[in-house]
Amino acid sequence: MQLALDGISKKMGSETWLYEMSLRPRAGAVTVLLGATLAGKTSLMRIMAGLDAPSAGKVLVDDYDVTGKSVRHRNVAMVYQQFINYPSFTVAQNIASPLKLRGEKNIAAQVQTLADKLHIGMFLDRLPAELSGGQQQRVALARALAKNAPLMLLDEPLVNLDYKLREELREELGSLFASRDSTIVYATTEPGEALLLGGYTAVLDRGELLQYGPATDVFNFPSSVRVARAFSDPPMNFVKALRTGAGVQLPSGEVLSLPLPESVTGGAYPGGAYPGGADITVGLRASALRLQAREGDIALHGNVQLAEISGSDTFVHMTSDIGDVVAQVTGVHHFDINAPLVLYFTPAMAFVFDAADSLLYAPKRKH
């Protein structure tokens, strides 16, 4: 099924919830709507589902205009952050309900398979009220998967689950999605989830669609500072710098010798060379900063402000000679607050954005 949003927007009173945008999620694939809270993900999904009508523009399904059709007249499955189940049905009956409506065979086996993949196979005889919130959410997710609708909309379906289970289910969902022909739209605030699910990613920010494409392409080549900020966890470090004849000069005086283009179409100086001293922005992902130096590295000198252990990584917040930065260091480390620290990065790992915040240079991808 090909869903297309053609110039849609959404206003509520004097507020604009969605600015004019067009989007065609890839048919039969996963499209992740990535953005912070209030980015517009749920508003966009409600328009896709037919729960809300856009203030302008059209919603097309296989080139047929369904803008005025309600959700009752669309074959859509949707899972919200707030789970919705039939309270008087057992878990098995909830999951089986769409299968029965379609007159499927081997319903019990299909229910068991879905329940096992979502780690609720042992609760099939229970009522939803007897389950935890996370378990009830998985029941709602299983029922949506059982519907096997041509369009599946999943609005942060794992947000209420504990970290370990969330990680396990992300992998399960990837294989479940791959086994279906449905067009799947999945909303999340977490860049790692967008990368893990693969497929395509649409980056939203404050009601604007900033970039859409294959997830790895958007991650590796963010079109703007706003996209790079949204598609990095922790957020990318940004430093104001100057364009020089040799490359990029940081506030510390260090120069990054990078092969920057002479001009950028649509950038701050379209069609012409960048003058010496032009303002630009350097972006460094936290994972690009290291404790050990390599040949040709740039050193950042500063003091530790905070160290956080997250799983097998340590996030180090440091004031430095180019400004405040965050480093994602592999392993569990202890750092004293205010202790001096030196971090290193390879110049080629830097992103560079022009004065209009558009991408000018990105690190080469490893194949």
Side-chain angles (χ1 to χ4, degrees):
M1 186 201 82
Q2 178 61 68
L3 171 70
L5 306 177
D6 184 7
I8 65 101
S9 63
K10 182 66 177 179
K11 293 185 177 181
M12 290 295 290
S14 61
E15 294 185 10
T16 299
W17 287 10
L18 294 173
Y19 291 89
E20 183 177 337
M21 65 179 71
S22 296
L23 177 66
R24 294 174 65 90
R26 182 61 64 98
V30 178
T31 287
V32 176
L33 303 182
L34 175 65
T37 302
L38 301 181
K41 303 184 298 297
T42 299
S43 298
L44 189 57
M45 277 190 161
R46 290 181 62 86
I47 289 174
M48 291 177 176
L51 294 168
D52 293 332
S55 301
K58 297 179 180 180
V59 181
L60 306 173
V61 173
D62 294 331
D63 296 324
Y64 178 70
D65 189 350
V66 298
T67 309
K69 292 188 176 294
S70 72
V71 66
R72 293 183 179 181
H73 301 288
R74 303 191 197 182
N75 191 1
V76 178
M78 188 165 183
V79 178
Y80 302 89
Q81 294 179 29
Q82 296 77 26
F83 45 82
I84 300 174
N85 293 305
Y86 299 115
S88 60
F89 284 12
T90 65
V91 169
Q93 290 169 332
N94 265 280
I95 300 172
S97 56
L99 299 173
K100 289 182 177 179
L101 285 174
R102 290 203 308 271
E104 291 271 346
K105 298 179 179 179
N106 303 318
I107 291 178
Q110 292 187 61
V111 168
Q112 188 69 57
T113 298
L114 271 174
D116 288 342
K117 286 184 176 295
L118 294 170
H119 304 265
I120 50 174
M122 67 292 290
F123 305 130
L124 290 177
D125 295 329
R126 297 190 186 183
L127 294 172
E130 300 176 278
L131 306 179
S132 69
Q135 291 162 351
Q136 292 186 58
Q137 178 71 311
R138 281 176 274 159
V139 175
L141 183 55
R143 191 176 70 252
L145 290 167
K147 188 175 181 180
N148 203 26
L151 176 62
M152 288 186 59
L153 307 174
L154 306 173
D155 190 2
E156 298 188 57
L158 308 183
V159 70
N160 294 318
L161 307 183
D162 64 73
Y163 175 81
K164 183 178 180 180
L165 182 58
R166 193 161 63 240
E167 290 296 305
E168 292 177 3
L169 288 184
R170 281 171 181 160
E171 296 182 9
E172 291 287 359
L173 286 178
S175 62
L176 283 169
F177 293 161
S179 66
R180 284 167 161 71
D181 295 326
S182 302
T183 298
I184 296 166
V185 181
Y186 186 107
T188 183
T189 61
E190 299 183 30
E193 196 161 48
L195 287 172
L196 186 60
L197 289 174
Y200 298 78
T201 295
V203 179
L204 297 169
D205 182 46
R206 291 171 287 181
E208 294 182 62
L209 174 62
L210 303 182
Q211 187 173 352
Y212 176 66
T216 52
D217 285 355
V218 178
F219 180 80
N220 288 310
F221 302 103
S223 62
S224 66
V225 167
R226 291 171 68 187
V227 174
R229 182 180 288 115
F231 212 158
S232 298
D233 184 23
M236 186 180 287
N237 299 294
F238 294 106
V239 180
K240 287 297 181 183
L242 296 176
R243 171 72 185 262
T244 70
V248 178
Q249 184 177 9
L250 299 175
S252 60
E254 296 276 6
V255 174
L256 311 182
S257 297
L258 298 174
L260 303 184
E262 287 298 319
S263 63
V264 178
T265 302
Y269 307 95
Y274 276 78
D279 291 333
I280 55 178
T281 300
V282 173
L284 291 168
R285 284 209 162 98
S287 57
L289 299 174
R290 301 186 305 275
L291 295 175
Q292 294 80 30
R294 298 176 184 173
E295 185 178 355
D297 272 4
I298 298 293
L300 302 180
H301 298 266
N303 296 89
V304 175
Q305 297 299 301
L306 176 68
E308 305 172 284
I309 296 173
S310 177
S312 59
D313 292 332
T314 303
F315 294 93
V316 186
H317 299 250
M318 184 181 90
T319 57
S320 77
D321 41 15
I322 65 169
D324 294 343
V325 297
V326 180
Q328 182 179 359
V329 180
T330 302
V332 176
H333 302 269
H334 172 77
F335 298 93
D336 292 324
I337 303 300
N338 293 323
L341 182 66
V342 182
L343 294 172
Y344 303 90
F345 72 92
T346 302
M349 293 303 294
F351 292 79
V352 181
F353 300 88
D354 65 20
D357 285 345
S358 297
L359 183 65
L360 184 61
Y361 171 87
K364 293 181 179 179
R365 286 190 293 176
K366 295 180 180 179
H367 297 284

